[in-house]
Amino acid sequence: MEDKPLVAITGASSGIGEATARAFSAAGHPVLLMARRMDRMEALGLPNAVLRQVDVRDRNAIAAAVRDAEAEFGPVDMMFANAGIARLADIGRQPPEEWDEMIDINTKGVMNTVHAVMNGMMDRKRGTLVMMSSIAGRKVYPDHTVYCGTKYFVHAVSESLREYLSAHDVRVVVVSPGVIETEVLSGVLDQETLENYKNNKVKMGGGIGADIVADLILNAYRLPQKALVQEICLTPTRQSY
Ligand code: NDP
């Protein structure tokens, strides 16, 4: 059986990143897993896995992790720029430090992640960038002000990168989920916002599983390099907004 190429994931310690790590590993890929919580990545117990404690705000740390993993398993063929936080809050009372953190992780962190692999993919004339945006990167929601800003950023950068990279046969896939059941709400520090979000979630019958997102990413990746799923927009059926 032919060796499967290396797949790298940021934010692989929980939620959608963890589910995607499991899905690609089960499909036979070696994986580079990056996040701050090493114990959570170790607990996955995946074979052929390089685990690195990486904060996506640290450009050099991502580049070093990619170098280490590529030395062992060959070039990264897919990078999932997934790490992100959602400090949802009433914008009038939100402390600016919360914006700083979100902007640094969700926008600069994504650029740092892409930067570590983009030129290699162009040289090889193959590769896939999977960019984690959100339905909140397509439209705005109450108390999502800066979060939406960061995800609109991901959408805009992805469109531009797709245009730039298409001539090099590198694919750019944007992932835009609605409500998915993960630990993302642990980042919401504004209690009223958190309550409202949870009430809305109950009204729509709950979010959907991260494994469903992971399967869609795997299926998009598996298409021939010539075929590109430009965007995966997935919501619970009852999430009508
Ligand atoms: P989780 O909170 O379960 O996962 C977030 C992941 O990001 C964790 O692995 C966390 O790891 C990692 N992370 C956060 N900050 C950093 C950092 N500075 N450096 C490295 N890793 C970091 O939530 P989700 O799985 O839901 O979130 C994943 C992505 O999906 C996010 O970008 C989120 O915005 C997006 N999304 C989620 C939706 C949802 O409803 N759940 C809907 C739409 C988009 P650690 O803390 O160990 O570093």
Side-chain angles (χ1 to χ4, degrees), residues 156-170 172 228 230:
V157 160
S158 301
E159 291 288 319
S160 178
L161 280 173
R162 187 179 300 121
E163 221 175 285
Y164 184 84
L165 291 171
S166 65
H168 301 272
D169 296 320
V170 176
V172 180
L228 166 63
Q230 296 200 2

Side-chain angles (χ1 to χ4, degrees), residues 11-17 34-37 54-57 82-85 105-106 132-135 147 151 177-184 186 197:
S13 59
S14 65
I16 299 165
M34 294 171 277
R36 292 164 303 177
R37 290 170 297 172
V54 165
D55 186 317
V56 291
R57 288 169 285 195
N82 164 70
I85 59 165
I105 295 172
N106 297 6
M132 180 49 96
S133 183
S134 168
I135 191 91
Y147 182 73
K151 296 303 187 181
V179 177
I180 311 297
E181 294 291 350
T182 68
E183 295 169 26
V184 74
S186 65
Y197 190 103

